[in-house]
Amino acid sequence: IYPNPASDVINVTLNDEISGKLILNIYDGQGRLVQTKSTFKNSPQMQQAFNVKSLSPGVYNLQIVGESNKVNLRFIKQQ
């Protein structure tokens, strides 16, 4: 995830560890789902952008759910 901390947009680079149909979820510090995106990854590397401008400042978790595995990443939203 970059930039981290972020104020407007985060970029997520998806490598070859995860492929197929993907669901990307952003959860706030209390575990509430605040944003979600579905995509299909069929190349070795892919980049996704999230607009986080409307999120309140704080720590967030990005969960990437693939067909065979799950990855959790953390980022900070600043003003």
Side-chain angles (χ1 to χ4, degrees):
I1 294 178
Y2 66 93
N4 192 4
S7 56
D8 295 330
V9 173
I10 59 166
N11 297 289
V12 181
T13 301
L14 305 169
N15 60 23
D16 57 359
E17 286 181 25
I18 196 161
S19 63
K21 183 181 177 185
L22 304 178
I23 300 171
L24 297 91
N25 296 316
I26 295 178
Y27 295 92
D28 67 11
Q30 286 73 45
R32 294 178 296 223
L33 180 65
V34 294
Q35 214 175 112
T36 189
K37 183 184 281 193
S38 296
T39 189
F40 188 84
K41 181 179 174 280
N42 58 2
S43 61
Q45 213 169 41
M46 181 178 162
Q47 187 166 316
Q48 284 289 308
F50 275 92
N51 183 338
V52 295
K53 191 171 189 169
S54 64
L55 298 180
S56 299
V59 177
Y60 291 84
N61 290 304
L62 171 65
Q63 182 183 67
I64 304 167
V65 181
E67 294 173 350
S68 61
N69 59 353
K70 189 187 304 186
V71 177
N72 290 294
L73 305 168
R74 185 170 284 178
F75 70 95
I76 297 170
K77 164 62 169 79
Q78 65 186 13
Q79 288 185 336

